[in-house]
Amino acid sequence: MRVAKCHPQLGFLRLEARDYSRSLDHLLRFRDSDDDPTRTGPAPAYITWMWSEELPALLRKQSYRDQMAEHCAELARKSEAISDDIQSLVGSRLEEQADADQLRAQLTALLDE
Protein backbone atom coordinates (compact mmCIF):
# COMPACT_ATOMS: atom_id res chain seq x y z
CA MET A 1 0.00 0.00 0.00
CA ARG A 2 1.36 3.40 -0.98
CA VAL A 3 1.42 6.27 1.45
CA ALA A 4 -0.01 9.48 0.00
CA LYS A 5 0.92 12.93 1.23
CA CYS A 6 -0.95 16.17 0.80
CA HIS A 7 0.23 18.47 -1.99
CA PRO A 8 2.33 21.31 -0.50
CA GLN A 9 -0.06 23.98 -1.79
CA LEU A 10 -3.30 22.17 -2.59
CA GLY A 11 -3.92 20.18 0.58
CA PHE A 12 -6.92 18.32 -0.83
CA LEU A 13 -4.73 16.57 -3.42
CA ARG A 14 -3.08 13.40 -2.13
CA LEU A 15 0.18 12.72 -4.00
CA GLU A 16 2.21 9.57 -4.44
CA ALA A 17 5.68 9.75 -2.88
CA ARG A 18 7.56 10.59 -6.10
CA ASP A 19 5.11 13.33 -7.09
CA TYR A 20 5.14 14.77 -3.56
CA SER A 21 8.94 14.89 -3.50
CA ARG A 22 9.04 16.60 -6.88
CA SER A 23 6.53 19.23 -5.80
CA LEU A 24 8.25 19.86 -2.48
CA ASP A 25 11.65 20.11 -4.19
CA HIS A 26 10.29 22.78 -6.53
CA LEU A 27 8.64 24.63 -3.64
CA LEU A 28 11.94 24.75 -1.75
CA ARG A 29 14.00 25.63 -4.83
CA PHE A 30 11.68 28.54 -5.68
CA ARG A 31 11.68 29.64 -2.03
CA ASP A 32 15.48 29.66 -1.91
CA SER A 33 15.80 31.63 -5.14
CA ASP A 34 13.14 34.19 -4.18
CA ASP A 35 14.42 37.78 -4.03
CA ASP A 36 12.16 38.71 -1.11
CA PRO A 37 13.40 37.05 2.11
CA THR A 38 10.47 38.49 4.07
CA ARG A 39 7.83 36.80 1.89
CA THR A 40 5.42 34.53 3.68
CA GLY A 41 3.88 31.67 1.80
CA PRO A 42 5.13 30.12 -1.41
CA ALA A 43 7.13 32.09 -3.95
CA PRO A 44 5.06 33.40 -6.87
CA ALA A 45 7.29 31.42 -9.25
CA TYR A 46 6.22 28.20 -7.52
CA ILE A 47 2.54 29.07 -7.90
CA THR A 48 3.08 29.80 -11.59
CA TRP A 49 4.96 26.52 -12.07
CA MET A 50 2.31 24.60 -10.15
CA TRP A 51 -0.59 25.85 -12.31
CA SER A 52 1.20 25.87 -15.67
CA GLU A 53 3.36 22.75 -15.49
CA GLU A 54 2.84 20.54 -12.46
CA LEU A 55 -0.95 20.24 -12.39
CA PRO A 56 -1.38 19.62 -16.14
CA ALA A 57 1.24 16.83 -15.86
CA LEU A 58 -0.40 15.33 -12.76
CA LEU A 59 -3.80 15.30 -14.47
CA ARG A 60 -2.50 12.72 -16.92
CA LYS A 61 -3.00 10.21 -14.08
CA GLN A 62 -6.61 9.15 -13.58
CA SER A 63 -6.26 8.99 -9.79
CA TYR A 64 -5.39 12.68 -9.67
CA ARG A 65 -8.14 13.55 -12.16
CA ASP A 66 -10.63 11.75 -9.90
CA GLN A 67 -9.43 13.69 -6.84
CA MET A 68 -9.71 17.00 -8.68
CA ALA A 69 -13.17 16.17 -9.99
CA GLU A 70 -14.33 15.24 -6.48
CA HIS A 71 -12.88 18.45 -5.08
CA CYS A 72 -14.61 20.49 -7.79
CA ALA A 73 -17.89 18.82 -6.84
CA GLU A 74 -17.21 19.63 -3.19
CA LEU A 75 -16.50 23.27 -4.08
CA ALA A 76 -19.77 23.41 -6.06
CA ARG A 77 -21.67 22.09 -3.02
CA LYS A 78 -19.92 24.64 -0.81
CA SER A 79 -20.78 27.46 -3.19
CA GLU A 80 -24.42 26.37 -3.29
CA ALA A 81 -24.56 26.25 0.53
CA ILE A 82 -23.07 29.75 0.74
CA SER A 83 -25.57 30.97 -1.84
CA ASP A 84 -28.41 29.47 0.19
CA ASP A 85 -27.10 31.16 3.35
CA ILE A 86 -26.86 34.51 1.59
CA GLN A 87 -30.36 34.14 0.17
CA SER A 88 -31.82 33.28 3.58
CA LEU A 89 -30.06 36.25 5.18
CA VAL A 90 -30.61 38.77 2.42
CA GLY A 91 -33.70 37.52 0.61
CA SER A 92 -36.26 38.82 3.09
CA ARG A 93 -34.48 42.17 3.27
CA LEU A 94 -34.63 42.46 -0.53
CA GLU A 95 -38.38 41.88 -0.37
CA GLU A 96 -38.68 44.61 2.29
CA GLN A 97 -36.67 46.94 0.08
CA ALA A 98 -38.91 46.24 -2.92
CA ASP A 99 -42.03 46.87 -0.81
CA ALA A 100 -40.58 50.15 0.50
CA ASP A 101 -39.64 51.27 -3.03
CA GLN A 102 -43.14 50.47 -4.30
CA LEU A 103 -44.82 52.38 -1.46
CA ARG A 104 -42.47 55.33 -1.95
CA ALA A 105 -43.25 55.39 -5.66
CA GLN A 106 -46.99 55.43 -4.94
CA LEU A 107 -46.63 58.19 -2.35
CA THR A 108 -44.38 60.23 -4.64
CA ALA A 109 -46.96 59.91 -7.42
CA LEU A 110 -49.64 61.29 -5.08
CA LEU A 111 -47.38 64.18 -4.06
CA ASP A 112 -46.72 65.05 -7.68
CA GLU A 113 -50.45 65.34 -8.53
Side-chain angles (χ1 to χ4, degrees), residues 2 28 38 43 72 78 98 113:
R2 291 183 170 166
L28 297 176
T38 63
C72 285
K78 181 179 180 178
E113 288 183 357

Side-chain angles (χ1 to χ4, degrees), residues 32-112:
D32 293 344
S33 64
D34 193 0
D35 294 336
D36 184 359
T38 63
R39 181 182 320 281
T40 59
Y46 172 76
I47 299 298
T48 300
W49 171 82
M50 179 190 72
W51 285 105
S52 64
E53 294 182 38
E54 180 188 27
L55 292 177
L58 289 175
L59 288 177
R60 291 185 194 119
K61 293 184 180 179
Q62 189 61 43
S63 63
Y64 294 142
R65 291 186 76 79
D66 293 344
Q67 289 182 60
M68 291 245 189
E70 176 56 35
H71 192 65
C72 285
E74 183 180 323
L75 290 172
R77 289 188 296 272
K78 181 179 180 178
S79 178
E80 184 65 30
I82 291 170
S83 179
D84 291 346
D85 287 347
I86 291 170
Q87 185 58 36
S88 69
L89 294 171
V90 176
S92 63
R93 297 291 289 164
L94 290 173
E95 291 171 10
E96 288 178 36
Q97 180 187 26
D99 292 345
D101 288 343
Q102 182 181 8
L103 180 57
R104 180 176 47 85
Q106 288 174 322
L107 294 174
T108 302
L110 286 174
L111 288 172
D112 290 342

